[in-house]
């Protein structure tokens, strides 16, 4: 993937700065792995947008997909080490939102802890 500039913030936003990628990442960090799991999130992503974002996340190396069913073919999605490395960033976004945006949800304690290195 090419970034619009060498700025680290712009390059990161080129990768995860759309409306849905960090929400999908959040769901994966909270244990969701299947297409139908992501559709059940409160933000109500549409199937076509979800399919597009999963493809982009896989192409950028944030996730990998593996088949878990043959007929019909279905996949489970897991974070790569590159995807898991975004966990501290997302946690800090949660901390900031909880402090600065009234009414935001408090993340589960497990989400706010460090991930095991080999997760």
């Amino acid at each position: 993937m090419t970034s619009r500039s060498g700025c680290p913030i712009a390059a990161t936003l080129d990768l995860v700065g759309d409306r849905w990628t960090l929400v999908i990442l959040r769901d994966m960090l909270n244990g969701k792995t299947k297409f139908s799991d992501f559709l059940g999130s409160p933000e109500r992503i549409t199937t076509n947008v979800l399919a597009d974002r999963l493809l982009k996340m896989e192409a950028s190396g944030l996730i990998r997909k593996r088949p878990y069913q043959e007929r019909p073919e279905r996949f489970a999605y897991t974070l790569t080490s590159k995807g898991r490395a975004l966990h501290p960033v997302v946690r800090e976004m949660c901390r900031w939102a909880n402090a600065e945006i009234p009414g935001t949800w408090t993340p589960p304690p497990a989400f706010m802890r460090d991930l095991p290195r080999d997760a």
Side-chain angles (χ1 to χ4, degrees):
M1 179 187 155
T2 23
S3 296
R4 58 193 138 138
S5 79
C7 170
I9 293 170
T12 302
L13 287 173
D14 288 342
L15 193 60
V16 299
D18 65 83
R19 183 176 180 175
W20 296 106
T21 301
L22 290 176
V23 172
I24 296 167
L25 181 79
R26 171 211 65 197
D27 285 350
M28 294 182 83
L29 287 164
N30 280 307
K32 293 184 179 186
T33 61
K34 298 177 183 166
F35 196 90
S36 60
D37 295 339
F38 303 122
L39 292 175
S41 293
E43 293 82 11
R44 302 176 50 136
I45 190 170
T46 61
T47 56
N48 61 321
V49 172
L50 176 57
D52 177 68
R53 291 312 180 280
L54 290 171
L55 282 172
K56 287 179 178 175
M57 291 173 77
E58 184 181 19
S60 66
L62 296 175
I63 66 172
R64 72 176 58 86
K65 72 177 184 179
R66 297 182 197 238
Y68 72 89
Q69 180 177 309
E70 287 185 27
R71 291 186 181 212
E73 188 173 43
R74 295 197 175 149
F75 298 93
Y77 299 89
T78 56
L79 291 167
T80 62
S81 59
K82 182 177 179 178
R84 284 191 311 276
L86 284 165
H87 185 228
V89 175
V90 177
R91 280 192 323 219
E92 289 308 312
M93 290 175 71
C94 290
R95 286 186 181 108
W96 179 85
N98 287 161
E100 303 295 336
I101 305 174
T104 55
W105 304 328
T106 301
F111 181 83
M112 298 307 287
R113 287 193 288 272
D114 288 337
L115 290 176
R117 287 201 172 264
D118 58 354

